[in-house]
Amino acid sequence: QVQLVESGGDLVQAGASLRLSCRASGRIFSVGTMGWYRQAPGKQRELVATITTSPDYADSVKGRFTISRDNAKNTVYLQMNSLKPEDTAVYFCYATVRSSALLSRGDIFWGQGTQVTVSS
């Protein structure tokens, strides 16, 4: 089995920065795409950023958020700058993981979520 553990969520004021981390562990042969979604109260989960070899961002966070990964640690990061109250949400990381070389494609695993609250 594969586990994703997130950390870094907090309560901050508008304009502050936070760095989220998400590490995958367990039965891992290789990790493909990693990324972050978020879900605000009463809203659908939305894609924030993804990274395989290059990053991709939602328009709402471009220029403020930076996604990166450390392949040696199976970890993905989300550096969030210039935070706004509308960034308040539970942030979930995900990873596409091949658990064996015998598998031709990976399965998607999710973290448990970390709360980010931005006060005005």
Side-chain angles (χ1 to χ4, degrees), residues 41-81:
K43 294 188 177 181
Q44 289 188 327
R45 189 175 293 193
E46 65 171 347
L47 179 64
V48 177
T50 64
I51 184 167
T52 308
T53 54
S54 60
D56 195 16
Y57 300 94
D59 288 343
S60 59
V61 305
K62 281 182 181 176
R64 299 188 298 122
F65 290 11
T66 302
I67 188 170
S68 61
R69 62 190 290 171
D70 184 333
N71 292 328
K73 296 181 179 179
N74 292 326
T75 299
V76 63
Y77 304 95
L78 187 67
Q79 177 67 42
M80 305 185 294
N81 298 329

Side-chain angles (χ1 to χ4, degrees), residues 7 22 71 73 91 93 109 118:
S7 62
C22 172
N71 292 328
K73 296 181 179 179
Y91 284 70
C93 70
F109 295 89
V118 184

